[in-house]
Amino acid sequence: VRPAPPPPPPARQVNAPLLSSNTQFSQAAIFWFGRVTASENYADVRVFYTSQSLRVRVSVFDRLLYSDNTPAPADLTAWDAVSLLIDMSAGMAGGLTSQAYRFDAQVNNSPTNMAAYQAGYRGTGSDWALASNPFTAVSGYRWESDTVGGINDGDNNRGWSVTYEIPFSSLGLSGAPASGASWNLGVVVYDRESLGSGTVDLKTWPENLNLYQPVTWGRLHFGLRNYVSPGRPVTGSTIIRDGLNGARVLDAAVGGTTGNLCPGDPNYIWNQWGNDNFGDSPTFNIQNQSDLADWPCFAKYYVSFPLSQIPPGKVIVKAELTLYLFGNSDPAQAEDSLIQVSRVAESWNELALTWNNAPLAIENIAQTVVSPSGPPWPRIPYRWDVSLAVAEAYSAGEWVHLVLYSPDGPYHSGKYFVASEDEYVNGEYFRPTLVVDWGNP
């Protein structure tokens, strides 16, 4: 008898966009989980869908890579591998129905035989059974340097990725689900740390995922979610910014932020990078890219606004976050970035927040394209509609907690912004700002 699953954490959901091309991962929705250490894995997950298929890319920060030279379906997850889990029934109780699917893929360096390193399963009620539903899982990996790295040799690497294409036809559908449809979704990353040992560490999304209980998985929502305004006229507006009317706004970037741009020392990046705090920095970076060799450049930004200055008993008509861009990576080569905002459930300490202890996103709620600038470096405002998160937090009588990250693919994608600690002349004006329009019920 399998043990009962633990109580689920706050529900996690990814709102996947409908895109026209199979290759548009820089426009995908993004979420993440895990930790960066010498013996643990972290993963970025990009998700979108087309009219014909679901597309998912899992990018794993993993120092040591191990793969089976004679792969068999039952052994794939005994090595460095990923399981992608889908439950089309979106059932919130019970076990694995016939609408539950599992897609396993193992890291490998065999481009002519990738099919041997993947396997598909279907639910039978209480277990998984091998199934022949067609899908593809393309694997790739990145060495530590031009001369250090590889699979099964004990050398340092930067990590590996697997890109899934799941045709809707292989799930018995004639096309994409309707916008607003919702399935259960889970991701498991398996990490083997030795060629001779069968011990495998697991990282999962969500945290308490049970492979046999879809009720413990997260949610895949087809299409982006929009805030439904209460339809009331605006009767007042509240501006919230650190230092304005006594407000205290908490913020911190994690990872390869402006004070920690792209460090390359292997000892540092695997043992310290994920645990460093930059909560007192006056500026921050938001960055990502598809090439895992550069993950020490990747950075997220967390910000929390108090909502106590909004009068009680109101309804939120609209809420807008403004950040001020002052620069970016290599201006001659930089490209646009689709920077996304997700809401976060937990509070955090800005002087203790790190890549490894930062709370996970609940769901992505807004996105804005940020274009390169400079030099010179004007402070350019960019805005995100965060009404959904503010309305929820205001209703609960809490602060609103947000995190910004990007699914960027190109190099030189870093975008630099002003933080709440900015001390330039008139710096307060350029600090992160939340404007909330409210009305009467």
Side-chain angles (χ1 to χ4, degrees):
V1 177
R2 300 190 185 281
R12 304 205 186 279
Q13 176 166 298
V14 57
N15 299 311
L18 172 63
L19 301 176
S20 59
S21 166
N22 276 346
T23 61
Q24 292 178 283
F25 279 99
S26 62
Q27 307 298 306
I30 189 166
F31 64 88
W32 57 91
F33 61 99
R35 289 164 47 86
V36 178
T37 77
S39 59
E40 293 179 273
N41 285 356
Y42 165 92
D44 278 340
V45 183
R46 295 167 169 86
V47 184
F48 71 92
Y49 68 106
T50 70
S51 61
Q52 300 299 317
S53 64
L54 176 66
R55 302 280 291 173
V56 180
R57 175 174 293 166
V58 184
S59 300
V60 184
F61 301 8
D62 188 355
R63 186 175 66 91
L64 300 174
L65 301 181
Y66 291 98
S67 180
D68 191 350
N69 290 324
T70 57
D75 299 328
L76 292 180
T77 58
W79 302 78
D80 289 326
V82 168
S83 289
L84 176 66
L85 311 174
I86 294 170
D87 176 24
M88 294 167 56
S89 73
M92 296 309 292
L96 300 168
T97 72
S98 61
Q99 290 186 287
Y101 297 85
R102 169 180 151 194
F103 304 95
D104 291 351
Q106 187 184 115
V107 66
N108 66 86
N109 58 359
S110 181
T112 61
N113 193 31
M114 283 190 177
Y117 290 86
Q118 63 187 57
Y121 296 82
R122 195 167 184 178
T124 63
S126 61
D127 210 340
W128 296 101
L130 276 171
S132 57
N133 305 77
F135 76 100
T136 59
V138 179
S139 172
Y141 69 100
R142 292 291 280 155
W143 288 23
E144 178 66 52
S145 68
D146 290 341
T147 57
V148 177
I151 295 178
N152 294 341
D153 60 7
D155 272 2
N156 277 5
N157 294 274
R158 286 293 171 90
W160 71 283
S161 65
V162 57
T163 301
Y164 289 94
E165 181 174 9
I166 315 294
F168 292 123
S169 60
S170 74
L171 306 177
L173 302 177
S174 59
S179 179
S182 182
W183 295 354
N184 289 328
L185 178 74
V187 184
V188 183
V189 172
Y190 306 86
D191 180 29
R192 184 160 174 157
E193 289 293 292
S194 168
L195 186 62
S197 169
T199 302
V200 175
D201 177 64
L202 271 64
K203 291 289 189 292
T204 68
W205 182 92
E207 309 91 299
N208 291 333
L209 177 146
N210 182 314
L211 199 65
Y212 302 90
Q213 294 286 339
V215 69
T216 68
W217 305 355
R219 305 288 281 185
L220 166 63
H221 179 272
F222 288 89
L224 302 178
R225 280 227 297 154
N226 296 314
Y227 178 63
V228 179
S229 178
R232 298 290 189 268
V234 174
T235 57
S237 185
T238 300
I239 301 174
I240 307 169
R241 182 189 305 127
D242 193 82
L244 179 65
N245 299 321
R248 179 74 175 97
V249 174
L250 305 178
D251 63 350
V254 297
T257 188
T258 49
N260 194 37
L261 286 172
C262 302
D265 174 58
N267 183 66
Y268 170 74
I269 63 174
W270 289 113
N271 295 286
Q272 187 61 39
W273 185 93
N275 300 316
D276 278 345
N277 169 262
F278 304 94
D280 58 359
S281 174
T283 61
F284 63 89
N285 178 34
I286 297 173
Q287 185 164 348
N288 202 344
Q289 67 184 50
S290 58
D291 187 349
L292 271 174
D294 290 341
W295 67 251
C297 304
F298 299 179
K300 308 181 188 97
Y301 171 68
Y302 285 77
V303 60
S304 292
F305 291 89
L307 303 179
S308 56
Q309 293 182 2
I310 303 172
K314 304 299 181 182
V315 293
I316 304 303
V317 178
K318 183 177 181 180
E320 195 170 65
L321 169 69
T322 300
L323 300 179
Y324 289 87
L325 180 80
F326 75 89
N328 46 255
S329 300
D330 193 343
Q333 301 187 65
E335 299 184 28
D336 289 351
S337 296
L338 182 71
I339 295 181
Q340 299 175 10
V341 178
S342 296
R343 62 188 185 96
V344 172
E346 304 91 336
S347 60
W348 39 268
N349 179 350
E350 67 176 347
L351 296 181
L353 190 76
T354 71
W355 186 276
N356 282 344
N357 69 21
L360 301 184
I362 294 295
E363 66 171 328
N364 53 306
I365 60 165
Q367 57 188 31
T368 289
V369 175
V370 177
S371 299
S373 71
W377 307 113
R379 298 192 177 193
I380 303 170
Y382 282 92
R383 298 179 174 86
W384 290 260
D385 185 336
V386 294
S387 305
L388 195 66
V390 170
E392 177 128 347
Y394 175 75
S395 176
E398 300 173 348
W399 288 45
V400 62
H401 308 298
L402 306 169
V403 56
L404 289 90
Y405 198 30
S406 172
D408 260 328
Y411 296 105
H412 317 295
S413 64
K415 301 296 187 291
Y416 308 151
F417 296 90
V418 173
S420 289
E421 288 74 15
D422 181 53
E423 295 296 342
Y424 290 100
V425 175
N426 297 322
E428 178 187 309
Y429 176 80
F430 295 105
R431 293 172 181 169
T433 301
L434 181 66
V435 178
V436 183
D437 295 332
W438 42 265
N440 295 316

